[in-house]
């Protein structure tokens, strides 16, 4: 979130004009688990930093949509309080942007071990995109045909990395749209 990094990102976005810009910023300051913790100065700083990052996402998405005429994709947990923040509401108000909801366990290639049990991480995600085909593909819900591990104690941090299957789903939706 350094100024020089943001400047470079703006320059590259305008120069390279990618077809899709994906933003999945740190959701911890807005997580439902974090909201049960006492309001400490550190928590307040983390929230302000999270809001600054979300404002940068809004700026990048604005460039992508209005200057590059491209697609955007934003992801945060469905239950994150960020969805009610003014800056995310502004992202949602960008032309063509719509919210979709899906479970990331559907894209997890294999179970993990957590707390001595094998299972999948059920991360219900909210997705905001102006590419309906990507949104449609990311709207898959868990059928309940596998076990979900308890995500307390840091297990949920494993879900911050997108699986190859999830990335292929996103890129497949983009490719179909660009044809």
């Amino acid at each position: 979130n350094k100024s020089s990094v943001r400047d470079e990102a703006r320059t590259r976005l305008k120069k390279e004009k990618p077809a899709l810009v994906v933003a999945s910023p740190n959701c911890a300051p807005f997580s439902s688990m974090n909201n049960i913790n006492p309001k400490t100065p550190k928590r307040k700083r983390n929230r302000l930093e999270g809001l600054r990052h979300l404002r940068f996402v809004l700026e990048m998405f604005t460039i992508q949509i209005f200057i590059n005429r491209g697609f955007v994709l934003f992801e945060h947990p469905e239950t994150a309080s960020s969805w009610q923040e003014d800056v995310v509401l502004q992202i949602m108000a960008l032309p063509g942007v719509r919210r979709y909801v899906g479970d990331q366990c559907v894209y997890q290639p294999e179970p993990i071990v957590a707390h001595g049990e094998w299972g999948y991480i059920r991360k219900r995600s909210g997705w905001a995109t102006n590419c309906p085909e990507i949104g449609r593909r990311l709207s898959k819900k868990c059928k309940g045909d596998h076990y979900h591990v308890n995500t307390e104690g840091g297990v949920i941090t494993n879900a911050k990395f997108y699986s190859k299957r999830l990335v292929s789903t996103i890129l497949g939706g983009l490719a179909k749209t660009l044809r």
Side-chain angles (χ1 to χ4, degrees), residues 26-73:
N26 181 10
C27 61
F30 309 102
S31 76
S32 54
M33 291 298 288
N34 198 36
N35 288 329
I36 63 172
N37 293 324
K39 293 186 177 182
T40 63
K42 181 181 179 187
R43 184 170 161 219
K44 185 176 180 179
R45 277 192 315 276
N46 288 344
R47 184 177 179 283
L48 291 174
E49 181 66 24
L51 287 171
R52 182 173 36 213
H53 198 128
L54 289 173
R55 284 191 293 276
F56 181 64
V57 169
L58 173 61
E59 179 185 351
M60 297 297 281
F61 280 13
T62 301
I63 292 168
Q64 177 68 357
I65 290 173
F66 289 104
I67 296 175
N68 295 350
R69 306 282 184 220
F71 297 105
V72 298
L73 177 62

Side-chain angles (χ1 to χ4, degrees), residues 20-25 54 57-58 61 64-65 70-78 82-83 87-102 104 124-136 138-139 162 170:
L20 176 67
V21 172
V22 178
S24 180
L54 289 173
V57 169
L58 173 61
F61 280 13
Q64 177 68 357
I65 290 173
F71 297 105
V72 298
L73 177 62
F74 173 81
E75 182 261 328
H76 255 196
E78 172 63 10
S82 52
W83 290 104
V87 65
V88 174
L89 295 174
Q90 289 175 53
I91 290 171
M92 294 299 301
L94 289 168
V97 173
R98 186 172 160 232
R99 186 171 172 182
Y100 301 83
V101 177
Q104 286 198 33
R124 177 149 293 166
S125 290
W127 303 90
T129 183
N130 60 341
C131 182
E133 185 61 26
I134 291 175
R136 184 187 66 73
L138 292 174
S139 295
Y162 288 174
I170 294 167

Side-chain angles (χ1 to χ4, degrees), residues 135-153:
R136 184 187 66 73
R137 290 175 184 226
L138 292 174
S139 295
K140 290 185 179 177
K141 302 289 192 308
C142 178
K143 294 177 183 172
D145 57 358
H146 53 252
Y147 178 75
H148 295 106
V149 295
N150 182 326
T151 57
E152 293 175 4

